[in-house]
């Protein structure tokens, strides 16, 4: 399913690329990591050359920038059996990209020139880096939702409200190039490791960003994929329950490993989150929309 939403400001608009209101556990998902899902260079050489130019300009301003590898979102496929929860699953299609290409395509002032006129999302974004981000709607034991306010020092959306998250990392499973998985047996093993990283990375991000122990978190449930319309930035979203109360989480946040990325933690009701979405990046607005679909589905069930 695809659904595009806006509120009069394109930077806050999002598109739901896929939603799974009842949530999928790790065994119900699969992943295919293959170079066929890598970015296709654009035919306009000037546009392609601008990638390095923009990156060089960024590095001159900030020498600490690192061109790390990222998983590229290349779409998904869905299979349904007899409609039972166990037989329905989603296969994520993932390629390889890097931060330099992300800065030079998705964050390029001329990013829209990289897009292809198509209703099919992977086709429309075939020339962009589109690294897959992740986010978690973390629900506390006293039924609050965890939100962070981004630091003014971060590169994207300083001061905005976000759910805990970041990126699954290829390096965590030893991936630097596609040479790592050329054989069919190797490929199958790599795909399993990549899928595992999708789930382990979101736990890692939550632990590092809000300071709670991993033991306090439930197994993540995949609830869908959201994409920001501005810069066509995709993100995979999960639902996670935390066994701690809001008060305990606030205390732990002060010692969070990645606390420098945010300035404040909030534990708020669903209605309060609704008011805060106006100052959220589009993909996180989409993450909240996915959570609301989950809540509605559970009420009906």
């Amino acid at each position: 399913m695809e659904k595009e939403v806006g509120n009069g400001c394109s930077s806050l608009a999002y598109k739901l690329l896929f939603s799974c209101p009842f949530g999928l556990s790790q065994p119900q998902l699969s992943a295919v990591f293959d170079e066929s899902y890598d970015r296709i260079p654009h035919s306009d050489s000037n546009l392609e050359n601008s990638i390095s130019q923009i990156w060089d300009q960024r590095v001159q301003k900030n020498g600490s920038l690192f061109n790390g590898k990222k998983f590229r979102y290349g779409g998904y496929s869905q299979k349904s059996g007899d409609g039972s929860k166990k037989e329905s699953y989603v296969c994520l299609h993932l390629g390889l990209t890097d931060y330099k290409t992300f800065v030079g395509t998705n964050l390029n002032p001329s990013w829209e020139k990289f897009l292809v006129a198509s209703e099919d999302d992977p086709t429309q974004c075939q020339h962009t880096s589109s690294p897959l981000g992740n986010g978690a709607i973390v629900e506390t034991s006293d039924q609050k939702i965890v939100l962070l306010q981004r630091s003014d020092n971060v590169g994207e959306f300083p001061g905005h409200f976000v759910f805990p998250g970041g990126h699954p990392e290829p390096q965590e499973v030893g991936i630097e190039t596609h040479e790592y998985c050329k054989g069919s047996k190797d490929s199958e093993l790599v795909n399993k490791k990549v899928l595992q990283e999708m789930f382990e990375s979101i736990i890692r991000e939550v632990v590092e960003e809000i300071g709670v122990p991993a033991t306090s978190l439930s197994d993540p449930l995949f609830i869908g994929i959201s994409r920001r319309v501005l810069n066509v930035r995709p993100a995979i979203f999960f639902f996670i329950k935390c066994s701690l109360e809001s008060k305990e989480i606030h205390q732990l946040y002060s010692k969070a490993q990645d606390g420098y990325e945010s300035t404040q933690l909030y534990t708020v009701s669903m209605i309060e989150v609704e008011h805060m979405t106006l100052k959220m990046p589009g993909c996180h607005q989409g993450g909240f929309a996915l959570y609301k679909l989950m809540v509605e589905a559970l009420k009906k069930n």
Side-chain angles (χ1 to χ4, degrees), residues 232-275:
V232 290
R233 182 80 188 272
I236 183 172
F237 275 87
F238 297 87
F239 171 68
I240 299 174
K241 283 189 175 182
C242 181
S243 62
L244 304 176
E245 291 189 353
S246 300
K247 185 179 178 181
E248 296 172 280
I249 294 171
H250 279 279
Q251 290 170 345
L252 291 166
Y253 172 68
S254 62
K255 298 176 183 177
Q257 184 179 331
D258 285 354
Y260 62 88
E261 292 183 4
S262 61
T263 55
Q264 196 164 346
L265 179 143
Y266 298 85
T267 48
V268 292
S269 68
M270 196 167 170
I271 293 171
E272 289 172 301
V273 178
E274 194 78 61
H275 295 305

Side-chain angles (χ1 to χ4, degrees), residues 2 4 15 17 42 72 111-128 130 227-229 232:
E2 291 195 2
E4 195 159 331
K15 187 174 184 178
L17 303 181
H42 200 282
R72 181 180 185 274
W111 64 274
E112 288 173 296
K113 293 181 180 178
F114 283 96
L115 302 183
V116 174
S118 174
E119 291 298 313
D120 178 63
D121 187 74
T123 302
Q124 184 188 23
C125 302
Q126 65 185 14
H127 301 307
T128 60
S130 298
R227 197 199 73 189
R228 193 168 78 215
V229 171
V232 290

Side-chain angles (χ1 to χ4, degrees), residues 173-186:
V173 288
I175 293 174
E176 288 289 339
T177 68
H178 284 288
E179 293 299 321
Y180 180 71
C181 49
K182 285 299 183 183
S184 58
K185 285 187 178 180
D186 289 343

Side-chain angles (χ1 to χ4, degrees), residues 26 30-33 71 92 94-95 168-170 173 175 180-181 187-201:
Q26 187 172 329
S30 60
V32 174
F33 175 70
F71 287 110
L92 299 173
L94 301 167
E169 301 289 354
V173 288
I175 293 174
Y180 180 71
C181 49
S187 179
E188 191 176 328
L189 179 62
V190 168
N191 288 339
K192 286 181 180 178
K193 285 185 175 181
V194 168
L195 178 65
Q196 190 174 343
E197 171 60 10
M198 295 296 122
F199 282 79
E200 289 185 352
S201 63

